[in-house]
Amino acid sequence: MKITILPGDGIGPEVTNEAITVLTEVASAFAIDIETQEHLIGGIAIREKGSPFPEETRNACVASDAVFLGAVGTPEYDHLPPEQRPEAGLLQLRKALGGFANLRPSKAIPALIDSSPLRSEIFAGTDLLIVRELLGGLYFGEPRGFEEGRSAGYNTMRYSVEEVERVARVAFDSARGRSKKVTSVDKANVLETSQVWRETVTRVAGEYPDVQLEHLFVDACAMHLVTAPTQFDVILTENLFGDILSDEAAVLTGSLGMLASATIGSEIGLFEPVHGSAPQIAGQNLANPLGTIASAAMLLRYSAKNQAAALAIEDAIESVLEEGYRTADLASEGTEKLVSTSEMGRLVRERAVANAKGKIASHAA
Ligand code: NAD
Ligand code: IPM
Ligand code: MN
């Protein structure tokens, strides 16, 4: 497998470094042949190449089997218009790869239950998957721009039936492998795009009689996520709603640093944590690398199609937390095993490799 690695800005390089070391060692234990190449994206690419998504980065990405991204964004370029900012590089990357369904799983890890901002009786048992449409809506709709002298700004929210159908199928297919329920989230009481969304999702649901479908307005969904998150299985939603709801779903687990993502729907998978470049803690070996490491597990599941290798990493993450290790974002008063980014990476790597060897040994026996 050819994997292009884009560490990006802020904490991106630190967390990516840990994730790629875990990935490389686990892949090797499972005899998955991987070849990695690193390229520039985001603020560092603007600084060194004058563009947030340089041509050579694009060429490498489209010639890969999978792309792995850390994070983009730096305060240095916060004054730039949207199309010149580091974040534009990420949006151009997503468009170039063509994956339209962004999977963001969030679940209550028993060891972390006390790190959640929710009371444990509300959060325990939560296990949900956000399927976020990634290539449409306000992020890409035209026309967009500023009016005379920035006296106004505008964006277009547009969804075609086809765009909704393809992402809806990913949600229903995912639900079939889980608890067989899809909650489609929209704003159909106000928006035309949401009415097309709701009609289309309802029609696609006809192809999946074994999966239960419910509709929820996005404001109500935001509320249900904090009052009764265990009701959800798969949440299907458009691009901007999914961006917002996934930060909310992430922090319920204890920290935004915990959440992983996989983007599927095209030949080339894209794997990235849900969090951003966290400039305030960058370069201090403080960041939580677990969301990024879990994104490496998703790469093994979705691009390498190796479920056992993915589980070796996911089990390792849970074991390390079970043993009480915490990065600063997860620590509370009673935390005795406070660890750095690199220590957390090493702990997970050791357990993941042990898991991998154990699985292979038990398989052989
Ligand atoms: P952020 O996700 O970077 O940070 C939000 C908060 O969570 C901060 O307090 C941060 O310290 C904390 N945090 C995030 N990840 C963490 C981790 N792994 N470990 C410990 N703490 C963590 O969001 P923001 O501050 O709104 O944005 C900062 C920059 O990142 C902006 O330029 C934004 O556009 C960009 N961004 C990029 C991505 C991406 O590359 N996928 C995602 C979101 C934001
Ligand atoms: C995310 C991020 C990105 C998004 C930004 C950085 C463009 O917030 O992946 O959640 O809004 O999609
Ligand atoms: Mn986001």
Side-chain angles (χ1 to χ4, degrees):
M1 286 189 72
K2 272 180 150 170
I3 305 175
T4 299
I5 301 166
L6 310 173
D9 304 318
I11 62 171
E14 301 161 55
V15 292
T16 302
N17 186 37
E18 298 312 319
I20 295 305
T21 315
V22 175
L23 175 69
T24 311
E25 293 198 15
V26 171
S28 146
F30 280 92
I32 304 167
D33 198 12
I34 64 174
E35 188 189 300
T36 60
Q37 235 191 59
E38 207 172 292
H39 285 275
L40 300 174
I41 194 168
I44 187 170
I46 300 178
R47 209 172 308 126
E48 293 189 15
K49 304 276 168 188
S51 153
F53 190 49
E55 205 50 40
E56 57 200 80
T57 300
R58 173 189 296 269
N59 292 340
C61 289
V62 298
S64 334
D65 298 300
V67 176
F68 195 89
L69 175 112
V72 295
T74 158
E76 191 186 339
Y77 296 122
D78 276 351
H79 62 282
L80 294 175
E83 81 281 3
Q84 291 171 25
R85 289 177 56 114
E87 292 85 346
L90 174 55
L91 299 178
Q92 289 167 34
L93 166 69
R94 289 175 180 167
K95 197 164 185 181
L97 297 183
F100 52 82
N102 180 224
L103 313 181
R104 298 186 160 189
S106 173
K107 78 175 191 187
I109 296 179
L112 281 187
I113 208 82
D114 293 324
S115 304
S116 174
L118 297 186
R119 289 199 305 278
S120 63
E121 65 269 28
I122 293 178
F123 189 54
T126 298
D127 183 355
L128 60 87
L129 172 71
I130 296 181
V131 177
R132 170 190 179 192
E133 199 293 324
L134 205 63
L135 290 184
L138 285 165
Y139 280 70
F140 294 96
E142 296 283 348
R144 62 185 292 164
F146 297 106
E147 287 173 13
E148 274 305 304
R150 290 170 88 101
S151 59
Y154 55 94
N155 295 88
T156 301
M157 192 187 222
R158 179 181 183 279
Y159 270 103
S160 68
V161 166
E162 198 193 350
E163 285 172 299
V164 182
E165 273 173 358
R166 63 184 190 176
V167 72
R169 291 207 172 91
V170 172
F172 285 103
D173 286 335
S174 305
R176 276 193 168 153
R178 300 174 45 99
S179 302
K180 299 194 168 56
K181 179 177 169 189
V182 170
T183 304
S184 175
V185 174
D186 62 33
K187 190 75 186 171
N189 49 348
V190 177
L191 304 174
E192 284 81 357
T193 44
S194 282
Q195 294 193 344
V196 169
W197 182 278
R198 192 175 280 221
E199 286 157 20
T200 307
V201 172
T202 304
R203 189 156 27 74
V204 172
E207 301 165 19
Y208 298 84
D210 52 322
V211 178
Q212 183 198 342
L213 170 66
E214 75 176 15
H215 300 279
L216 211 54
F217 295 134
V218 61
D219 47 356
C221 180
M223 185 203 71
H224 285 278
L225 269 175
V226 294
T227 53
T230 56
Q231 73 184 275
F232 295 111
D233 178 26
V234 174
I235 294 178
L236 164 65
T237 193
E238 68 89 42
N239 206 342
L240 182 64
F241 298 161
D243 178 44
I244 298 168
L245 295 175
S246 60
D247 266 29
E248 191 188 358
V251 82
L252 299 185
T253 65
S255 165
L256 184 49
M258 291 300 298
L259 226 66
S261 92
T263 302
I264 61 169
S266 77
E267 300 273 286
I268 312 167
L270 170 62
F271 303 88
E272 48 174 322
V274 167
H275 65 74
S277 57
Q280 322 86 326
I281 58 167
Q284 300 170 50
N285 207 11
L286 275 178
N288 181 348
L290 295 178
T292 317
I293 295 174
S295 303
M298 293 187 89
L299 185 153
L300 290 168
R301 173 171 297 118
Y302 289 98
S303 280
K305 310 255 184 266
N306 194 318
Q307 178 75 1
L311 284 173
I313 296 179
E314 288 161 353
D315 288 352
I317 292 175
E318 293 205 21
S319 310
V320 168
L321 294 169
E322 221 39 83
E323 290 165 46
Y325 294 100
R326 300 284 184 272
T327 43
D329 54 316
L330 293 170
S332 53
E333 250 168 55
T335 301
E336 283 165 10
K337 298 175 177 170
L338 184 64
V339 294
S340 65
T341 309
S342 49
E343 283 164 337
M344 185 58 103
R346 177 184 55 82
L347 289 161
V348 174
R349 179 167 77 246
E350 286 169 0
R351 280 149 191 80
V353 170
N355 285 345
K357 294 198 168 134
K359 264 177 200 139
I360 291 163
S362 68
H363 198 72

